[in-house]
Amino acid sequence: MDSGLAELDARITGCRACPRLVAWREEVARTKRATFAEWTYWGRPVPGFGPADASLLIVGLAPAAHGGNRTGRMFTGDRSGDVLYAALHDVGLASRGTAVSADDGLELYGVRITSPVHCAPPANRPTPRERDACRPWMISELELLRPTLRAVVVLGAFGWQAVLLALAGAGWDVPRPRPAFKHGARIMLDGRPRPLDVFGCFHVSQRNTFTGRLTPAMVRDVLRTAADCAGLPTMPSKR
Ligand code: SF4
């Protein structure tokens, strides 16, 4: 990995800027869920995952208490990740369709995954103040990815707002009023060294996937369109 991004990731994992989130992530790591009693939880901020020369960035909301906060890798070890990585694998952007631990060998091809809030929040709900506190990390990540970045997929309305603020902070030309989130939204932002395409997709949360609001086919469609736009080769769906 490029040293700039590796260094950023290392710095993120030491952040303690949000007292409520620091207390929560560490309490969850101490008390654990019975199913994971044998695990040593990560219990720290979860950095982005994927190559430093990614052309496609996927942005969620925040790590899950017993997912990323346990394993130390984005979307790893929870139901949301099961949906996301299965779709990434189906379209040819990941080496496998499951993500169980940070050392499971999973590789992403041209894709990086991050979130606007790097610590697990109670009830999966960061406050606006916590989102704002974490924004400098996302701005730095966007700046480091800028040379190769061509498209962003944002999962859910919270991420959408946070990403537009971070992109504006990193120098992309984000219109005002800010474009609204919807599944299937696509906007193109002017910026250097090239314009950036931003896609909206419902979050891969259980609430959306269990109810059928978001289906695997819908996730694959957004990923494939965004990957095409980012110049990444994809595979036709097997299902
Ligand atoms: S949410 Fe972000 S800013 Fe807040 S403690 Fe975690 S890494 Fe730091």
Side-chain angles (χ1 to χ4, degrees):
M1 183 183 290
D2 174 78
S3 62
L5 206 51
E7 192 185 317
L8 178 77
D9 290 345
R11 285 172 53 217
I12 287 173
T13 61
C15 183
R16 302 181 66 81
C18 305
R20 187 183 80 115
L21 299 189
V22 171
W24 175 250
R25 76 194 192 203
E26 293 180 357
E27 185 193 330
V28 169
R30 263 193 316 274
T31 54
K32 307 182 184 182
R33 177 180 281 169
T35 327
F36 305 121
E38 301 303 313
W39 276 75
T40 301
Y41 275 49
W42 175 251
R44 292 152 65 188
V46 180
F49 168 50
D53 60 352
S55 56
L56 173 59
L57 182 66
I58 298 173
V59 184
L61 192 167
H66 301 281
N69 189 56
R70 171 172 58 91
T71 62
R73 198 176 65 190
M74 286 284 164
F75 282 101
T76 297
D78 60 50
R79 295 285 175 89
S80 299
D82 291 347
V83 174
L84 179 60
Y85 287 114
L88 284 165
H89 183 248
D90 282 347
V91 300
L93 298 172
S95 61
R96 47 190 284 179
T98 56
V100 293
S101 65
D103 60 358
D104 61 10
L106 171 65
E107 277 184 76
L108 299 179
Y109 305 136
V111 177
R112 186 168 164 92
I113 302 177
T114 195
S115 62
V117 172
H118 285 279
C119 294
N124 288 322
R125 286 218 186 93
T127 64
R129 182 188 289 247
E130 290 159 351
R131 175 200 65 192
D132 292 349
C134 215
R135 189 179 311 129
W137 293 126
M138 174 161 274
I139 291 175
S140 297
E141 189 168 12
L142 288 165
E143 286 171 344
L144 287 163
L145 290 169
R146 185 196 304 275
T148 53
L149 190 63
R150 294 168 72 170
V152 182
V153 171
V154 188
L155 305 173
F158 181 95
W160 181 263
Q161 296 300 332
V163 166
L164 293 185
L165 287 166
L167 284 167
W172 273 276
D173 194 1
V174 180
R176 297 189 75 107
R178 308 261 186 247
F181 171 80
K182 65 174 184 178
H183 181 85
R186 177 178 183 168
I187 57 173
M188 184 186 278
L189 306 180
D190 280 336
R192 287 179 297 111
R194 65 182 70 78
L196 187 69
D197 283 283
V198 182
F199 297 83
C201 178
F202 288 143
H203 195 280
V204 287
S205 65
Q206 285 187 71
R207 189 167 5 145
N208 286 335
T209 55
F210 278 21
T211 57
R213 185 176 191 229
L214 180 67
T215 65
M218 290 164 70
V219 183
R220 290 195 298 267
D221 282 351
V222 174
L223 291 177
R224 192 174 284 108
T225 305
D228 286 348
C229 177
L232 297 172
T234 56
M235 296 192 308
S237 265
K238 296 176 199 134
R239 37 187 153 150

